[in-house]
Amino acid sequence: MSLKIDEIKNILSEITDPTNELLKEFESDQRIGVQKLVAKWYREQEKRDLAREKFLKMMEYEQNLYSQNIKLIAGVDEVGRGPLAGPVVAAAVILAENTELIGLDDSKKLSKEKRQYFVKRIKEEAISYGVGMASSTEIDEINIYEATKLAMRRAIEQLTHSPEHLLIDAMKLPLDISQTSIIKGDATSISIAAASVLAKETRDSLMCELSVKHPNYGFEKHMGYGTKEHLKAIDEHGIINEHRRSFAPIKEKV
């Protein structure tokens, strides 16, 4: 008696090896429904293979350091340099050498659901992680570039293990720790990508909290960026403490 299509679907969802005997058996099943399921399995397997290949590529900086017996590698990244309101938030993440975060990428390329999934895994599996931020007031006082470095230093200070090396997205920090600055690091280093996702979700949560306190500005939608909706809200309701007064067009309105 042949298996029902729903039963085959469930079995295929558990198969990861293309040499699996059941998979080969399903390939010879002449039912159109089964053939569609098998074709879908191969498409998804190709996606999984590409994701694993990308993960291994994003591990090259880390693997090079591991080969030098440098194990405590902190990826560092920030989010929120461009908005008109809210803090700039940075994260530092030290991943274990055997961590497999296949599918992790630059936070801007992931859906919120995937970011939240990876944040949960990062918090559960990382050797250590830290989050730091610089307020809108600090941004106005020292400029966004210096505030970004301040947020990054604060994130590193939150780590429970002292990093032996820093992988930083397009930055150099005035710290006595060896470091590598990587252009587009959040898309090329798995540690920086982890920091990118953690920083993004942390800042988004803060901006959603701010939207409850100041419901007229729509912070939960635009996260403080200068959208038409945000600019209109500023014209109608004025500037609040969380706005960056050194940023145009806020500074023209102060």
Side-chain angles (χ1 to χ4, degrees):
M1 181 177 175
S2 60
L3 293 169
K4 295 179 181 178
I5 290 179
D6 281 347
E7 292 174 322
I8 292 174
K9 181 179 180 181
N10 291 333
I11 293 170
L12 283 172
S13 69
E14 300 295 326
I15 293 175
T16 58
D17 182 2
T19 64
N20 186 285
E21 290 299 323
L22 281 175
L23 178 62
K24 300 301 179 185
E25 184 180 321
F26 298 150
E27 284 182 46
S28 63
D29 193 313
Q30 298 302 307
R31 287 175 290 176
I32 293 175
V34 176
Q35 289 301 305
K36 286 182 176 179
L37 287 174
V38 171
K40 182 182 179 183
W41 185 92
Y42 276 106
R43 288 195 301 272
E44 292 178 347
Q45 181 65 27
E46 184 178 4
K47 289 180 183 177
R48 287 191 288 268
D49 290 343
L50 289 172
R52 180 164 186 79
E53 185 179 325
K54 181 175 176 62
F55 168 74
L56 293 174
K57 183 73 176 173
M58 292 178 71
M59 277 289 292
E60 287 181 357
Y61 284 102
E62 286 81 357
Q63 290 294 354
N64 180 50
L65 291 164
Y66 292 147
S67 70
Q68 300 172 54
N69 203 33
I70 298 170
K71 303 298 183 182
L72 297 178
I73 304 161
V76 185
D77 198 11
E78 53 70 35
V79 66
R81 291 175 75 171
L84 304 181
V88 58
V89 176
V93 178
I94 301 176
L95 296 174
E97 187 173 354
N98 60 351
T99 300
E100 286 202 355
L101 295 172
I102 295 173
L104 179 60
D105 206 338
D106 171 6
S107 63
K108 296 184 289 295
K109 298 179 182 178
L110 300 176
S111 66
K112 185 169 186 64
E113 182 181 32
K114 285 190 175 181
R115 289 198 305 268
Q116 290 177 334
Y117 163 77
F118 281 117
V119 165
K120 184 174 184 294
R121 285 197 57 191
I122 289 162
K123 289 183 174 181
E124 289 174 349
E125 300 176 29
I127 291 173
S128 183
Y129 65 88
V131 174
M133 61 191 74
S135 68
S136 54
T137 301
E138 290 173 316
I139 292 168
D140 291 336
E141 289 175 351
I142 61 176
N143 76 50
I144 185 60
Y145 183 75
E146 293 300 325
T148 298
K149 291 196 291 185
L150 177 61
M152 286 181 168
R153 294 201 304 271
R154 286 171 172 169
I156 294 165
E157 287 168 1
Q158 292 299 311
L159 294 170
T160 55
H161 292 66
S162 297
E164 300 169 287
H165 192 91
L166 305 176
L167 296 176
I168 313 175
D169 188 22
M171 277 277 197
K172 279 282 190 180
L173 295 179
L175 295 173
D176 190 24
I177 307 172
S178 65
Q179 52 194 275
T180 305
S181 176
I182 306 170
I183 303 298
K184 296 185 178 178
D186 47 9
T188 53
S189 158
I190 205 70
S191 299
I192 297 177
S196 168
V197 168
L198 182 56
K200 168 70 173 167
E201 281 304 297
T202 300
R203 188 177 190 279
D204 282 2
S205 294
L206 289 170
M207 296 310 291
C208 287
E209 290 174 13
L210 189 60
S211 73
V212 175
K213 186 177 178 182
H214 301 282
N216 295 321
Y217 292 86
F219 290 126
E220 78 284 1
K221 299 175 185 176
H222 51 67
M223 303 302 166
Y225 283 86
T227 63
K228 288 182 179 179
E229 178 188 3
H230 189 187
L231 294 175
K232 183 181 178 183
I234 292 170
D235 287 337
E236 292 178 355
H237 304 287
I239 296 164
I240 60 174
N241 289 337
E242 285 77 7
H243 280 117
R244 302 174 182 179
R245 286 164 167 74
S246 57
F247 278 40
I250 303 292
K251 61 183 179 183
E252 285 80 18
K253 298 177 184 295
V254 175

